[in-house]
Amino acid sequence: MGVAKRVIPCLDVDAGRVVKGVKFLEIRDAGDPVNVARGYNEAGADEITFLDITASSDNRDTILHVVEQVASEVFIPLTVGGGIRQVSDVRRLLNAGADKVGINTAAVTRPELVREASDKVGSQCIVVALDAKQVSAPGEPQRWEIFTHGGRKPTGIDAVQWAIKMADFGAGEILLTSMDRDGTKIGFDLALTRAISDAVQIPVIASGGVGNLDHLADGVLKGGADAVLAASIFHFGEYSIREAKQHMADRSIEVRL
Amino acid sequence: MQRIAVIDYGMGNLHSVSKAIEHVAPDDEVIVTDDEALIRSADRIVCPGQGAAADCMAAISQHGLTSMLVDIVDTRPFLGICMGYQVLFDHSEENGGVDCLGIVGGQVKRFAAPLHTPEGERLKVPHMGWSQVNQAVEHPVWHGITDASRFYFAHSYFCQPSQVEHVSGYCDYGHKIAVSIARGSIFACQFHPEKSADHGLQLLQNFVGWDGVQ
């Protein structure tokens, strides 16, 4: 007995609309974040993550309205990432109703942001999103590096060391995405997940590569993840959240059913 | 119609708390305020809060709410959530040690690493996610909520009430921790009912209908 391993659907939001639509929930408007969040809540999601991919700065504030609307009607934890540059961005999202804010590139550019933000709002509100890629050659001891810009730009930073540093700086949680696995549907990078999870005391959310329900269970059992995040397998109705949790429960994982 | 005051002392996300209460009490007036007169005029009070203990205590003091809170908690139904639960105790060891409101006897302590389940599985800190809450007493605020239902937690410090009879809920996280208390018109909890889906909304609905008698 402790805490249930969480199953988290992740939604991309562009200028206030859910993109890469959700195809299974019987909702009137699959682009409406409130409808989609409500559907996932009813389906038993433990938490919802919105990734704001709005490119135009004119539309930057649309995410605040989205968060306000969702938090007014859906009463489960809500994490929002994308475009966070300063503490005031964090504050505005939390005041709009987000529970946690994901910081990615800005943490690499200026790690002190993580410390400032967690000092100000508490570690439990700060998720550091970490995009990692394997850089060791086959046969060498495995090593991963932090990449930015959607996996295109190497930083030279060792992923495990970075996770430890971010935890020291006050991150309350790590959202770990394997850029090698993202979109592949062949499963999480379990060695990476295990390396990060063992290195830090804070919870780790595994992301990138989920193609079936065993992948989710493996993320927890073999990777040591505290939560698993997926997008397409849920959005396109291949599996429901409830099936995912039942499958994890069948493999002796503590979940909220 | 009744008036429900959500105390705004500048610490944390009040949007979700106030919206969740409006959701379960659509006919009531929900006000988010730090105004002492308005808080005193309310029929019931909700005290949320997030962040570090020292900041929360400083903010309560800066908003001139310290003695008012001590005065008022026993006079009408009062719900403390998260930091609004922790600040009720005597003292927190966060930030090198902070004196809290001393309304309820006890200490707030940090989870000592490493924590493990009885099965040997490692537990992370912060305690983040959905854990089962075992109801220690029958209480109107638990009405209609099955024992051992899961609620959402996000915390690194836990409360140790000095009097076990004040504990209304327990959770196992490495060891048995008191995650809610009930004393007279006070009900306070470490978990977030406003983020705990149906069980959380049920708890809030129970609170807004509760007469404050245990």
Side-chain angles (χ1 to χ4, degrees):
Chain A
M1 282 298 118
V3 64
K5 302 299 179 187
R6 286 165 284 156
V7 176
I8 307 172
C10 177
L11 297 156
D12 287 356
V13 177
D14 186 0
R17 302 282 294 169
V18 175
V19 292
K20 290 195 281 186
V22 172
K23 301 256 170 31
F24 77 99
L25 297 166
E26 292 189 1
I27 51 183
R28 282 161 303 158
D29 177 2
D32 176 4
V34 178
N35 279 336
V36 175
R38 198 188 284 127
Y40 273 125
N41 175 35
E42 283 161 11
D46 294 310
E47 196 169 311
I48 293 173
T49 292
F50 283 136
L51 183 61
D52 182 22
I53 58 167
T54 307
S56 150
S57 55
D58 295 348
N59 287 326
R60 207 38 62 68
D61 283 349
T62 55
I63 191 67
L64 295 173
H65 302 300
V66 166
V67 170
E68 251 170 42
Q69 287 171 355
V70 171
S72 301
E73 296 191 43
V74 181
F75 301 104
I76 59 173
L78 181 61
T79 301
V80 184
I84 313 298
R85 295 281 172 272
Q86 46 205 1
V87 176
S88 60
D89 296 331
V90 174
R91 290 216 76 120
R92 289 196 306 161
L93 282 165
L94 295 178
N95 287 336
D99 298 283
K100 298 183 251 185
V101 172
I103 304 178
N104 190 338
T105 311
V108 176
T109 316
R110 200 171 70 80
E112 290 72 26
L113 172 65
V114 173
R115 201 196 292 280
E116 290 163 15
S118 64
D119 279 350
K120 199 79 190 156
V121 300
S123 286
Q124 79 287 345
C125 297
I126 303 300
V127 181
V128 171
L130 187 160
D131 295 342
K133 230 177 192 176
Q134 187 169 340
V135 291
S136 49
E140 284 178 10
Q142 279 183 302
R143 214 172 63 76
W144 300 265
E145 216 177 275
I146 301 296
F147 279 66
T148 58
H149 297 78
R152 294 190 306 278
K153 199 175 159 194
T155 63
I157 301 169
D158 179 79
V160 174
Q161 293 309 315
W162 181 243
I164 293 169
K165 179 170 174 176
M166 289 295 94
D168 284 346
F169 274 37
E173 193 161 49
I174 284 174
L175 168 55
L176 172 65
T177 303
S178 160
M179 300 312 284
D180 298 311
R181 298 300 177 92
D182 206 28
T184 64
K185 300 202 151 217
I186 59 170
F188 295 122
D189 183 336
L190 295 173
L192 168 67
T193 309
R194 174 54 75 182
I196 301 281
S197 185
D198 282 352
V200 294
Q201 177 69 23
I202 59 179
V204 173
I205 305 166
S207 156
V210 175
N212 64 47
L213 300 184
D214 273 322
H215 293 155
L216 297 176
D218 288 344
V220 172
L221 296 172
K222 297 178 183 167
D226 301 282
V228 287
L229 179 138
S232 58
I233 67 157
F234 296 135
H235 300 337
F236 300 121
E238 290 164 60
Y239 303 99
S240 69
I241 300 271
R242 226 168 277 289
E243 282 170 328
K245 289 174 141 187
Q246 189 56 56
H247 185 82
M248 290 165 74
D250 292 345
R251 289 189 59 186
S252 304
I253 297 170
E254 183 180 345
V255 290
R256 178 178 73 109
L257 283 172
Chain B
M1 196 184 80
Q2 59 176 343
R3 174 179 282 179
I4 304 165
V6 177
I7 301 182
D8 177 8
Y9 54 99
M11 292 303 288
N13 166 10
L14 305 179
H15 179 89
S16 301
V17 174
S18 57
K19 290 297 171 186
I21 293 166
E22 285 171 13
H23 186 85
V24 298
D27 299 326
D28 292 335
E29 182 192 6
V30 179
I31 51 171
V32 178
T33 183
D34 69 341
D35 184 90
E36 179 170 349
L38 272 177
I39 295 169
R40 284 187 186 276
S41 77
D43 300 292
R44 60 191 71 235
I45 291 164
V46 179
C47 184
Q50 276 182 337
D55 292 344
C56 282
M57 285 308 299
I60 287 171
S61 164
Q62 278 154 19
H63 287 252
L65 300 173
T66 312
S67 55
M68 194 269 308
L69 275 170
V70 174
D71 264 14
I72 210 170
V73 286
D74 294 314
T75 63
R76 65 206 76 187
F78 176 95
L79 177 65
I81 299 172
C82 194
M83 282 311 293
Y85 167 59
Q86 295 191 3
V87 294
L88 297 179
F89 289 87
D90 292 318
H91 186 263
S92 169
E93 64 179 31
E94 194 170 4
N95 309 117
V98 183
D99 282 332
C100 297
L101 294 170
I103 291 167
V104 179
Q107 305 291 317
V108 184
K109 304 200 165 235
R110 186 171 166 89
F111 284 115
L115 283 179
H116 293 91
T117 64
E119 295 77 28
E121 189 200 336
R122 181 167 165 236
L123 294 169
K124 300 293 188 74
V125 177
H127 171 208
M128 179 98 71
W130 301 76
S131 289
Q132 290 182 313
V133 174
N134 297 302
Q135 298 166 17
V137 291
E138 277 192 35
H139 193 284
V141 172
W142 289 133
H143 181 76
I145 300 170
T146 310
D147 189 26
S149 293
R150 287 184 189 275
F151 288 86
Y152 182 76
F153 289 84
H155 64 124
S156 302
Y157 290 79
F158 65 97
C159 300
Q160 275 187 332
S162 48
Q163 285 176 274
V164 69
E165 61 269 30
H166 293 155
V167 179
S168 59
Y170 285 107
C171 156
D172 274 310
Y173 200 72
H175 44 88
K176 193 171 167 186
I177 56 171
V179 294
S180 69
I181 52 157
R183 190 192 79 192
S185 62
I186 303 171
F187 193 98
C189 52
Q190 179 64 63
F191 53 84
H192 290 268
E194 79 282 12
K195 287 291 163 183
S196 296
D198 293 348
H199 296 311
L201 293 174
Q202 180 68 53
L203 187 150
L204 293 174
Q205 186 153 28
N206 293 341
F207 173 73
V208 301
W210 177 37
D211 62 6
V213 178
Q214 205 172 326

